[in-house]
Structure formats: structure tokens, C-alpha cells
Amino acid sequence: RRPSLIADAGKERGIHSSCRRSMVMPAWVIDKYGSNDVLRFNENVLLPIIHYPNEVIIKVHAASVNPIDVNMRSGYGSKSLNMSRDPLHIKTSGSEFPLVLGRDVSGTVMECGLNVKYFKPGDQVWAAIPPWKQGTFAEFVVASVNEVSLKPKSLSYTEAASLPYVMLTAWAALVNSCGLSKEKCPGKRVLIIGASGGVGTAAIQLMKAWGAHVTAVCSGNAVTLMKDLGADDIIDYTVARLKDQLKTRDLFDVILDNIGGTSEELALQFLKPWSGATFVTLVTPFLYNNDQLGIADGMMRTGVTLASKVIKHYYKGIHYRWGFFAPSGPSLDEVGELVDAGKIRPVIEDVLPMSDVPKAFQKLEAGHARGKTVIQVV
Ligand code: NDP
């Protein structure tokens, strides 16, 4: 059945004839988990089709790399992600392959499901695709409409592809977990640890656009970038212990941790107690626990760990939270307005052609990112 379904879908959506003849597309895939050599360029990946009436097919113009791509390549989170892909465990093990990685997309809408009202073919869009779905290092990707937003007019496709995943992660942490908003930000002191990478550069700009006071923690060669993005205070963590440098500063309302490790020790010492102040970290053992222990035991371990941390901080008057990326077209709409108003800009370290996806992974894996690496797909 599958080939004829795909052929029909191809005719309906008016995909250009060479593509329709073959019904395949080029994409970077993995067929097993491992190091960078599992990445394979495959020109014969089946074209994605619309399965639900609220989905659109996007022709990918540009994508970008995130740590989640490198982690997924290595198998991180596979148990949880397979659970989302196949909740009833109907499929055989390994059915997620060939797996297309890549979360960010900017491109044009090719075809809309029957219930799609807001978008039409030809619309220029951007989105971050959740990790349990096929990704964006490909010619086409399918997304639900609630994940998609009209691309800001002031950005090129290349620029736009650098923002969705990191912006939505910063949004999830600062808005959903810490309760910050445009109205609540003025006067708030926000500390961002790991400020020079993808999420950090997004978080600084969102907080500055909303009027918060931002202290950015980075290494020395990122200080100029932090200043350019509007950080009010910058701490170079390489010259002295962060803890010691923080002692000379006022207490904070929010700490966003993009690094993990011992960062959470700072929460009790440097947040304003009994004021609603919140520590949120993006580095959590949630997926790791499920990988190691299986879903049931992993969730149990995660629940116990999180609860004990929340309670420990709560008794000292501090909120403790874990932040998780959440796909959201409506949040991207708001980010897009800030972009077009000149308050948020892409921070792009490098733009690589589609043929250099493995190089982009290597680069990200080596660390020290300064903003984002974009993949030019067309
Ligand atoms: P990047 O790799 O883009 O950036 C990490 C940045 O941190 C680099 O600029 C690095 O530069 C800097 N850094 C490293 N060590 C320190 C330190 N001790 N103090 C201050 N800065 C440091 O990653 P992202 O910004 O995209 O993601 C950040 C983290 O958040 C990752 O661990 C990622 O896996 C996680 N994440 C979690 C999500 C979730 O849903 N929970 C979603 C998205 C990301 P340098 O080493 O030169 O200082």
C-alpha cells in the first residue's frame, strides 16, 4: 500500500515532477546509533506524507544543529522518543530508522492538510520540530500547524533557521518554568550560565527585549558578543570561581542554567529567598534515566530526584525547576514580532552546506559554540 499512498500524496501536493517520479528525497539519516560515522547521506529517503489533517509539508531551505542532534545520533533519549513514536509498542525494535535528525527549519509550505486554515502553500515559515518526529536535514519535513509560524519578514531563510529551537527552549525555561513575561520582566535580575551558546544567546535577547537586568556567564572570548547582545553584567568564569565572583553582586530573581553539574549549588546562595525566585536548569537526567533504567523505573527515579530537589529548595524559599524544549508556533509568532522590531537577532557562528552536516556535528561536539551553526539546505 505504501508506494501508492505516497504516489497519490505526491500528485495531490504538486511536488515538482522529477521528485514525484521518484517519490524520494535527499536527507542525512542514521540507520543505527553511534559516533559521527553513522551519519549517511541518502538520496532515496521516502518523501514524508501528511498523516493528520492539521499537518503541513515544508520544503526545507535551511536548518541548524543543536546539542540534541548530536545526543540523538548517539542514542540518547531513544527509549523515551520511541515511546512517543510508538506508544503501543506495535513496531519492531529499530523501526525508527532511517532516522532524520535536525530540529530547526525555515522554508516554504508545500502542502496543507484538510484542517489547515492559517497556512497556505507558498507561505514562508519557521518551526522547531519535536525530537520524536523525522527531522529537517532533508529536502522536506512534516510539521503540525501548532509547531509552525510565519517567518519574520526581516530575516533570510538562513538567519531564521538559527532561532526556533533555542528560542523555544529559552522560552520554555523562562516563561513556562519561571513565570516571566513582558510585564513581569522589568526590574528582574536574571543570571544566565552558559550564555554564549545557542540557548544562552537566545535567552539574553529575550530577557533584554522584555526589560530584565541580565548577567551573562561566559568565557573571556565571548565577552564582546555578550555586550553586543545587551548583557548588563558579564562574568568570565575562566578567571576565577563563579561562586566567588557572584559574591560581589546583588542577589538574582532567576538563574537559568545551561551547563548543569554544580551550577545548582548556586541557587540557595544567590537567589532572593521567599520572593518567588526560581532556579531552572536545562540539563536534567530525565531522558538518561529512561535510557538506563527503562521507562517505568526511569520515570520513578526521575520523579524522586526532582521531588527531593524541589522540596530541598522550597524549604529555603527558592523554586527549583527543570526546563524542557516545547514546540510552539504561537510562541514563535511572538519571537518573530520581537525580531521584526529589531529586538532579537540571529547569532550565527557558521553557515555550512548540506554536504557538511557531519562537519557541523563535529564542530558542535567540540564545544565552545558562539551562537548557532546553520545548514544551508537549498
Ligand atoms: P551550546 O553548545 O550551543 O552552548 C553551550 C555554551 O556553554 C558554549 O558557548 C560554551 O562555551 C558555554 N560553556 C561551557 N561551559 C561553561 C561554563 N562552565 N560556564 C559558562 N559557560 C559555559 O548549547 P545550547 O546552548 O544549545 O544548549 C545548552 C545546554 O542545554 C546543552 O547541554 C543542551 O543539551 C541543553 N538543552 C536542553 C534542552 C531541554 O529541553 N532540556 C533543550 C535545549 C538544550 P565555552 O565552553 O567556550 O565557555
Side-chain angles (χ1 to χ4, degrees):
R1 263 179 76 77
R2 191 166 170 79
S4 67
L5 272 181
I6 292 166
D8 290 348
K11 267 182 232 153
E12 276 164 27
R13 77 176 91 124
I15 285 171
H16 58 83
S17 56
S18 61
C19 216
R20 196 163 64 215
R21 262 200 306 278
S22 51
M23 300 317 298
V24 293
M25 65 174 181
W28 280 94
V29 299
I30 58 169
D31 302 300
K32 59 180 178 180
Y33 299 115
S35 55
N36 227 25
D37 49 16
V38 299
L39 285 167
R40 184 169 65 88
F41 187 67
N42 183 351
E43 288 190 283
N44 295 309
V45 174
L46 285 178
L47 278 174
I49 57 172
I50 287 179
H51 283 102
Y52 298 99
N54 68 336
E55 289 180 332
V56 295
I57 297 180
I58 300 170
K59 180 170 173 53
V60 182
H61 285 237
S64 78
V65 284
N66 290 284
I68 183 82
D69 299 314
V70 174
N71 294 338
M72 281 175 66
R73 187 209 64 204
S74 308
Y76 169 80
S78 57
K79 286 221 169 85
S80 315
L81 296 173
N82 280 339
M83 175 93 164
S84 301
R85 291 178 189 122
D86 178 26
L88 299 178
H89 276 290
I90 295 168
K91 296 180 184 163
T92 50
S93 139
S95 60
E96 70 268 37
F97 302 119
L99 185 61
V100 183
L101 302 173
R103 311 283 37 113
D104 287 304
V105 55
S106 65
T108 44
V109 173
M110 291 297 294
E111 187 192 348
C112 299
L114 289 174
N115 283 356
V116 176
K117 306 273 181 277
Y118 189 67
F119 299 101
K120 59 179 184 325
D123 280 349
Q124 303 190 352
V125 294
W126 62 344
I129 311 293
W132 54 88
K133 294 187 178 178
Q134 286 292 61
T136 60
F137 299 142
E139 193 179 6
F140 298 99
V141 67
V142 170
S144 303
V145 276
N146 56 1
E147 294 155 3
V148 180
S149 161
L150 291 172
K151 176 178 80 63
K153 289 193 168 43
S154 57
L155 296 187
S156 66
Y157 285 116
T158 308
E159 292 170 325
S162 68
L163 282 170
Y165 190 79
V166 290
M167 264 297 164
L168 290 174
T169 301
W171 188 286
L174 295 164
V175 179
N176 306 353
S177 300
C178 298
L180 292 176
S181 62
K182 187 164 73 177
E183 292 73 28
K184 289 185 186 158
C185 264
K188 290 277 192 303
R189 287 178 52 75
V190 179
L191 176 69
I192 299 173
I193 306 171
S196 49
V199 177
T201 51
I204 295 175
Q205 297 192 81
L206 183 64
M207 290 296 90
K208 285 313 300 171
W210 285 350
H213 180 284
V214 172
T215 303
V217 180
C218 63
S219 55
N221 64 5
V223 167
T224 310
L225 172 63
M226 302 292 96
K227 276 190 195 149
D228 287 350
L229 296 177
D232 301 282
D233 187 10
I234 299 161
I235 299 176
D236 177 353
Y237 74 91
T238 62
V239 296
R241 284 201 324 162
L242 178 56
K243 226 178 211 177
D244 297 332
Q245 299 193 67
L246 284 171
K247 282 180 187 154
T248 60
R249 266 88 175 176
D250 292 338
L251 297 182
F252 296 92
D253 297 287
V254 167
I255 297 178
L256 168 61
D257 166 39
N258 300 324
I259 297 304
T262 56
S263 296
E264 70 181 46
E265 291 170 11
L266 306 171
L268 294 178
Q269 214 179 334
F270 298 107
L271 282 168
K272 298 172 184 168
W274 306 111
S275 66
T278 307
F279 174 89
V280 59
T281 183
L282 292 172
V283 184
T284 81
F286 172 60
L287 293 177
Y288 176 82
N289 284 348
N290 290 355
D291 286 341
Q292 296 300 309
L293 304 171
I295 301 290
D297 289 352
M299 297 281 262
M300 186 101 77
R301 165 81 61 90
T302 299
V304 170
T305 305
L306 179 59
S308 65
K309 287 174 188 288
V310 168
I311 292 166
K312 173 182 147 192
H313 289 81
Y314 184 75
Y315 276 108
K316 304 274 183 184
I318 300 295
H319 297 298
Y320 177 96
R321 300 278 184 268
W322 286 349
F324 295 99
F325 156 78
S328 169
S331 303
L332 276 182
D333 289 345
E334 290 192 48
V335 171
E337 282 174 25
L338 292 170
V339 169
D340 281 338
K343 295 188 171 174
I344 288 178
R345 68 168 171 90
V347 182
I348 297 177
E349 187 175 31
D350 217 344
V351 180
L352 296 174
M354 181 72 160
S355 54
D356 275 350
V357 163
K359 192 172 156 197
F361 273 60
Q362 262 167 7
K363 185 168 173 289
L364 196 67
E365 228 167 349
H368 312 297
R370 298 288 174 263
K372 296 299 307 283
T373 297
V374 172
I375 303 296
Q376 192 74 55
V377 177
V378 291

